[in-house]
Amino acid sequence: MRALGFAIVTALMWLGVVAPATAQAPDPFSKGPHIALKLMAETDRPAPGQSVTIAYDATPQPGWHGYWQNPGDAGFAAKLDWSLPAGVTADAPRYPVPTTLIVAELMNYVFEQRYTVLVTLNVPKGVAVGTKLPIKLKTQYLVCTEEICQPEAADLSIDLIVGDGAIDPARRAQFDVYRQALPKPIGMASSYQIDGKGLRIGIPYPATAPLKDAYFFPITPDRLNYAAPQKVERDGDRLVISTEVLKPGAGPIEGVLRIGPQKGVLVSASPGAVAAGGGADGSSAGPENGVLVATLLALGGALLGGLILNIMPCVFPILSLKALSLAKGSVDEGAARREALAYTAGALTVIVGLGAMILALRAGGAAVGWAFQLQNPATIIVLLLLVIALTLNLAGLFEIPTPAFVDSASGASGAFATGALAAIIATPCTGPFMGAALGAALVLPWPAALAVFAGLGLGLSLPFLAIGFVPALRKALPRPGTWMETFRQILAVPMGLTAIWLAWVLGGEAGVDGITLGLLGALGVAVVLFIVGKRQHSGLSAHWLSVVALVAVTGATAYAVRPVPKGAAGAAALAAENKAMFSEEKLAEARAKGRPVFAYFTADWCLTCKVNERVAIDTDQVKAAFAKHDVAVMVGDWTDGDPKLGRFIEQHNRAGVPLYLFYKPGADKPEILPQVLTPAMLSELAGG
């Protein structure tokens, strides 16, 4: 069949030469080339010993198509012949997900629209900065319509200069868009079984995961009958693909499973038993149900996580005072409900807005996750000074002018502001129940994803909603009295602890200079608020200049702070603890030596991460177990939002940190650990 396919292609080419162009197909020789090609590097100044990604960007003319890495029954893939400087090597090209095209009963795997192939070039160590790296590519490819085929060739080149490896943000975003079109590793082992001419491929795939237009594109050549129909069935947490085999063979079958428009996962199936599928057709039927179930599960996790946030030190003081304000006799039933709804609206506005921003940035190719704003020291400065102001307010230094956050007289506007404030401060306090839910939200369709973010905001608001709408709960609250002033001052302690934590996070990102600037800003805010308090105690109102002064102090401090790269100091500190900074190269090196690997991804602003490190990872029990069994421990620090780490985290269906992976020797894929760790769990993994 393959020989027949090439014969047909050849015949079509000759027809294109000897026959006049028809009305249905363009003349292939009137204008050319029929695929516009462009070569582009992610950085023009790659660093010694590092890699640089090259984009082979191709745009077919309307009515024409190019071919995938496995062209199918006919055609041929583009040949890439690189001419590289000494020591520079090129990895295998990575293709996006193709489409199918049947011509004369032959199956073709093609690209009919613009597509981009990515190739990684590796720059050797020891190359002097300033060295020119001329990159040349001679490519030969086949371009066809449904009636005519024509081979074409092109010579492409770009000139690089060895430098610092810096990547322009716009170029980075553009390449992240290219990477999004590439199929992602599925992360689990697949298998196939041959019965006569029949072939069944079993692929682990969650029953709740969206699936649309499923199709298996084989990368391994000449094993499948490409033109044979494929039947895709859901069977619990797996897909069963039934089709015909062309050549039995014995080795693995690799390919790409399309799971949606221009979305796919990489599959490597080994010989094994695959039970026949007995579930629903998964090629097109059932994805809506899968999305619905996945959305409901993620929504439940988000509701629970949002509810738990109310007991965190950063949220509890705000909730407590706002709840106690409803216990005052002056608040009637209608006012209590209005304030509860306004509080909920404020929380939902912030959290859904933040979720929409994340989805928009990720759609543009940025590798951002939940709490991404805390990767910017300036944002931390703003939060730090805000929390310090709230601490001083709770301690009684000054009163927030009307509309007050905790005064029932402020009505719905104050309740809205309180809910928004609680949501803003709660962002970095996300609990372990929220990781999976938010991770699911970022792979669901955007309406479902926004529903999950709304669930988080609703969970955060539930206690106040209940107090506002259930009179019995309000009656159960303590009656107002002089004790409330003491209670309010006590609540300044957890809020102050939140400020201390934010200062610690700031130091991790901006170093000693950053903490110094933060303390100077805190002093400036405290001085302004002290003056405001003195005026209030004298019966005067806060002057409008105090607001200007607060904004000026906050703005100047946020503008002055600068992030400090982790650099060699961070690597040396980890080495002293028998750990290494995570990189995919170090991971591959350790696994090649047969060592078990524990890789964890953390950030200074992630409370769950720090708790796990303190109570589990850095305990003597775990350190001893890891040392005994030669476990390589690697740390991915995502504090500053490293996009390379962000892409790796995203490949494991997580919205952000924490992420814990354990690679057993010889295993194809890692075990993804829960977000709450124990010393016994890690010790058992090391010995297992």
Side-chain angles (χ1 to χ4, degrees):
M1 179 174 288
R2 304 295 185 268
L4 175 62
F6 283 113
I8 291 177
V9 171
T10 304
L12 288 173
M13 290 168 56
W14 277 106
L15 286 173
V17 175
V18 301
T22 65
Q24 292 81 9
D27 182 352
F29 302 109
S30 60
K31 292 182 180 180
H34 298 289
I35 294 183
L37 297 176
K38 182 172 62 174
L39 210 61
M40 181 178 11
E42 189 168 16
T43 175
D44 297 324
R45 297 181 58 83
Q50 296 186 3
S51 59
V52 55
T53 302
I54 305 295
Y56 174 89
D57 192 60
T59 306
Q61 288 183 352
W64 297 81
H65 59 261
Y67 286 88
W68 189 49
Q69 60 194 104
N70 179 358
D73 284 322
F76 60 83
K79 295 179 174 61
L80 305 180
D81 184 13
W82 295 94
S83 295
L84 303 173
V88 178
T89 59
D91 293 345
R94 294 174 288 162
Y95 283 77
V97 181
T99 59
T100 57
L101 177 65
I102 298 178
V103 178
E105 298 185 355
L106 299 177
M107 175 62 74
N108 299 266
Y109 301 141
V110 302
F111 296 104
E112 297 178 300
Q113 306 293 332
R114 178 183 177 184
Y115 62 99
T116 305
V117 179
L118 298 184
V119 178
T120 299
L121 300 185
N122 303 294
V123 180
K125 297 180 180 179
V127 182
V129 173
T131 301
K132 293 184 178 180
L133 299 177
I135 308 298
K136 298 181 179 180
L137 172 65
K138 183 176 182 62
T139 178
Q140 298 177 344
Y141 56 93
L142 185 67
V143 58
C144 299
T145 68
E146 292 192 20
E147 294 85 16
I148 303 168
C149 286
Q150 178 176 324
E152 295 181 349
D155 292 313
L156 307 172
S157 65
I158 53 175
D159 292 323
L160 309 179
I161 299 177
V162 177
D164 56 5
I167 300 177
D168 177 75
R171 189 84 61 89
R172 167 73 81 184
Q174 183 176 7
F175 270 72
D176 281 344
V177 172
Y178 296 154
R179 291 187 180 95
Q180 282 192 334
L182 301 179
K184 307 299 190 295
I186 197 169
M188 292 169 282
S190 304
S191 57
Y192 71 87
Q193 179 177 334
I194 298 175
D195 291 325
K197 290 186 177 181
L199 171 69
R200 288 195 303 273
I201 305 175
I203 303 174
Y205 195 79
T208 58
L211 185 69
K212 187 175 180 63
D213 299 328
Y215 188 89
F216 182 74
F217 296 91
I219 295 175
T220 304
D222 301 329
R223 296 289 298 279
L224 276 65
N225 182 350
Y226 301 143
Q230 293 186 6
K231 181 180 180 181
V232 182
E233 299 173 282
R234 283 186 181 267
D235 187 16
D237 288 327
R238 69 168 187 152
L239 297 179
V240 178
I241 301 173
S242 301
T243 184
E244 292 182 10
V245 68
L246 183 67
K247 296 180 181 179
I253 295 177
E254 297 183 343
V256 170
L257 173 66
R258 181 175 61 198
I259 60 175
Q262 299 180 335
K263 292 183 179 180
V265 292
L266 290 168
V267 174
S268 179
S270 302
V274 179
D281 178 13
S283 59
S284 59
E288 292 82 5
N289 291 336
V291 172
L292 177 60
V293 174
T295 302
L296 291 176
L297 290 174
L299 182 59
L303 279 168
L304 180 59
L307 189 61
I308 292 173
L309 281 177
N310 286 282
I311 63 174
M312 301 299 287
C314 48
V315 179
F316 182 72
I318 300 173
L319 173 66
S320 298
L321 288 182
K322 194 60 188 172
L324 288 174
S325 72
L326 294 185
K328 295 181 179 180
S330 59
V331 180
D332 60 26
E333 188 72 20
R337 292 182 177 182
R338 285 193 297 273
E339 290 200 30
L341 291 174
Y343 181 94
T344 303
L348 287 173
T349 298
V350 169
I351 292 181
V352 174
L354 183 59
M357 186 185 304
I358 292 173
L359 294 174
L361 290 172
R362 289 168 72 94
V368 299
W370 186 249
F372 74 97
Q373 70 275 16
L374 293 176
Q375 296 162 356
N376 186 336
T379 303
I380 298 174
I381 283 286
V382 174
L383 283 175
L384 171 63
L385 300 187
L386 173 62
V387 170
I388 286 174
L390 290 173
T391 303
L392 297 177
N393 170 252
L394 293 172
L397 181 68
F398 76 105
E399 296 298 327
I400 299 177
T402 303
F405 287 109
V406 297
D407 185 356
S408 62
S410 64
S413 61
F416 181 93
T418 306
L421 176 64
I424 291 171
I425 296 179
T427 303
C429 301
T430 51
F433 291 98
M434 293 167 53
L438 295 178
L442 298 184
V443 297
L444 288 170
W446 70 264
L450 289 181
V452 174
F453 286 114
L456 174 60
L458 184 60
L460 179 65
S461 307
L462 275 178
F464 196 66
L465 271 176
I467 294 171
F469 276 80
V470 181
L473 290 178
R474 291 200 304 278
K475 292 179 180 178
L477 294 174
R479 294 292 93 189
T482 56
W483 66 268
M484 287 187 63
E485 185 64 25
T486 302
F487 181 66
R488 168 178 163 171
Q489 293 170 353
I490 291 174
L491 290 178
V493 175
M495 191 61 73
L497 292 174
T498 302
I500 293 172
W501 171 70
L502 284 169
W504 177 77
V505 173
L506 178 64
E509 294 192 23
V512 175
D513 290 347
I515 290 182
T516 303
L517 284 171
L519 292 176
L520 287 173
L523 178 61
V525 166
V527 169
V528 174
L529 295 179
F530 174 77
I531 295 173
V532 170
K534 293 290 287 184
R535 288 178 58 86
Q536 291 174 336
H537 292 154
S538 301
L540 302 174
S541 63
H543 198 277
W544 63 268
L545 284 177
S546 61
V547 177
V548 174
L550 289 173
V551 172
V553 170
T554 304
T557 309
Y559 177 79
V561 71
R562 292 290 183 272
V564 175
K566 298 291 183 182
L574 289 176
E577 300 177 4
N578 293 320
K579 300 177 182 178
M581 297 184 71
F582 175 86
S583 72
E584 294 185 62
E585 294 78 14
K586 290 179 181 177
L587 174 62
E589 181 182 347
R591 298 192 67 201
K593 294 178 180 179
R595 297 182 65 187
V597 178
F598 174 61
Y600 68 93
F601 300 83
T602 180
D604 288 347
W605 39 262
C606 171
L607 279 178
T608 306
C609 305
K610 296 307 169 186
V611 170
N612 280 325
E613 289 163 29
R614 178 63 59 88
V615 304
I617 298 174
D618 292 332
T619 60
D620 292 339
Q621 176 184 342
V622 172
K623 289 180 180 178
F626 282 175
K628 179 179 178 181
H629 298 283
D630 194 29
V631 177
V633 181
M634 298 185 182
V635 184
D637 190 341
W638 204 46
T639 299
D640 57 0
D642 182 353
K644 191 172 183 179
L645 279 182
R647 288 187 289 274
F648 184 86
I649 293 169
E650 182 182 346
Q651 290 173 7
H652 295 81
N653 295 327
R654 284 291 185 269
V657 291
L659 172 64
Y660 304 107
L661 305 175
F662 195 88
Y663 295 82
K664 295 182 178 180
D668 292 334
K669 302 299 179 182
E671 179 179 350
I672 300 179
L673 305 182
Q675 291 190 309
V676 176
L677 302 179
T678 65
M681 178 195 305
L682 296 178
S683 300
E684 183 178 349
L685 279 172

